[in-house]
Amino acid sequence: MPWKRNQSLKAQGSRLKGKAAASHLQPRASSPKPFVVTIDGPAGVGKSTVAKLLAQRLGVMYLDTGATYRSLAFAAVRGDLNPITDRSRLAVLARRLRLVLQPTPEGGLRVRLDGVDITTHIRTEEVSEAAAQVSQYPEIRAAMVRLQRRLARRAWTDPRNGMIRRGVVVEGRDTGSVVFPQAPYKFFLDADPEVRARRRQQELERLYGSRPPLAQVREQLHFRDGLDRHRRVGPLVKPAGAIAVNTTHRGAVQIVRLMLTYIHQRKSVSSK
């Protein structure tokens, strides 16, 4: 799918940058071996919903690696960079990205770039397309992996009670294979393509108030799957040792129960 410039998005980004306020930085304390659960899979399989719920049940932070790529894509558009042709400048931007992820009481994430809240602005289709393009470059993926590992090591403040916590449930497409290959708990979600398309259509309707044609959503998913599965670095694969879960006929609560059972069983075995 060709990249299309979006002038309104660039103008929006410029206005946001101009209104930047002092950011609320997370504590920088780190743990050498953070508690990490990885959840990988293609779009539309329920990764975000499951990851947020699982993080709440475990009392750890939810970390969306896709938000890091989307934030970079947003910054690229704001800086008038082309995600296809400006590869070297994008790599520099990736290494300098000033990104802060803040947990919300509802279990989600507040995304701040240069002190500006861009949480909703990184969920547009234009940013999604740009993110799919910039994520293909090895030097950019390397910078994002370093950023994601730093975010996972940081202590964070639980917005529900003010307690300082550590540990993450991280979701993405290469979290168990590349970002955290040694994670003790790894899952890979998948679902029927038609179910994935309907879920993505419903998600877009919730975000923008209008429902795109299902055929269009299918085409976008097919395009993104091709990019994800065939890129040279960090392709979408089932990580070694990951538990495969088909979500076609399972709800989020049922899936989280399965995950918690597996995690508790692994913990019991390792503690003996």
Side-chain angles (χ1 to χ4, degrees):
M1 187 177 298
W3 164 253
K4 298 180 180 179
R5 294 271 180 200
N6 188 291
Q7 297 296 332
S8 63
L9 182 57
K10 288 191 292 183
Q12 183 184 66
S14 298
R15 289 195 298 272
L16 285 168
K17 188 176 182 181
K19 291 194 262 183
S23 63
H24 174 67
L25 295 177
Q26 298 178 33
R28 301 185 70 87
S30 62
S31 172
K33 291 184 179 181
F35 175 85
V36 177
V37 178
T38 66
I39 301 177
D40 290 298
V45 297
K47 296 191 305 294
S48 297
T49 303
V50 168
K52 290 174 186 176
L53 183 56
L54 182 62
Q56 285 185 314
R57 296 289 177 85
L58 291 171
V60 300
M61 179 177 166
Y62 160 66
L63 175 57
D64 174 15
T65 60
T68 63
Y69 289 101
R70 288 173 177 272
S71 298
L72 175 62
F74 181 87
V77 173
R78 185 179 66 181
D80 200 25
L81 301 181
N82 188 298
I84 297 176
T85 61
D86 290 329
R87 179 170 173 173
S88 60
R89 294 170 66 191
L90 285 166
V92 172
L93 181 62
R95 291 192 291 270
R96 297 176 178 174
L97 203 65
R98 296 176 57 198
L99 186 66
V100 173
L101 304 181
Q102 296 174 287
T104 67
E106 299 76 27
L109 282 178
R110 186 68 57 189
V111 183
R112 292 185 178 275
L113 178 66
D114 296 327
V116 178
D117 189 337
I118 61 169
T119 306
T120 59
H121 304 291
I122 64 173
R123 296 297 169 182
T124 66
E125 284 303 299
E126 291 79 14
V127 169
S128 296
E129 290 179 21
Q133 295 291 348
V134 302
S135 65
Q136 303 304 304
Y137 304 130
E139 59 271 37
I140 289 175
R141 295 198 72 85
M144 292 293 99
V145 167
R146 288 192 293 271
L147 172 61
Q148 292 155 13
R149 288 172 177 166
R150 287 198 302 271
L151 292 169
R153 287 195 300 267
R154 288 178 178 173
W156 56 280
T157 303
D158 192 326
R160 296 169 296 182
N161 52 33
M163 293 182 63
I164 302 299
R165 299 183 183 274
R166 288 185 175 85
V168 292
V169 171
V170 54
E171 61 114 334
R173 288 170 171 78
D174 65 347
T175 64
S177 57
V178 175
V179 188
F180 301 104
Q182 303 304 319
Y185 314 107
K186 298 192 280 190
F187 299 93
F188 185 82
L189 308 188
D190 207 348
D192 179 82
E194 190 67 17
V195 172
R196 291 175 54 207
R198 288 198 299 270
R199 288 174 178 170
R200 178 60 178 161
Q201 183 189 49
Q202 292 166 2
E203 180 185 11
L204 292 173
E205 184 177 20
R206 287 194 300 272
L207 286 171
Y208 309 119
S210 60
R211 176 174 292 200
L214 191 59
Q216 177 184 328
V217 177
R218 285 197 204 98
E219 181 183 351
Q220 290 169 341
L221 287 179
H222 180 72
F223 168 74
R224 183 61 194 266
D225 284 351
L227 289 178
D228 290 336
R229 294 182 187 277
H230 299 107
R231 60 173 170 251
R232 289 179 300 163
V233 179
L236 174 63
V237 296
K238 178 179 174 288
I243 301 300
V245 181
N246 190 301
T247 69
T248 300
H249 303 296
R250 290 187 173 111
V253 173
Q254 183 183 5
I255 295 167
V256 168
R257 271 200 215 103
L258 291 173
M259 290 177 167
L260 287 171
T261 298
Y262 172 75
I263 291 170
H264 293 325
Q265 287 175 346
R266 282 289 305 270
K267 279 186 175 180
S268 299
V269 171
S270 62
S271 63
K272 291 181 180 178

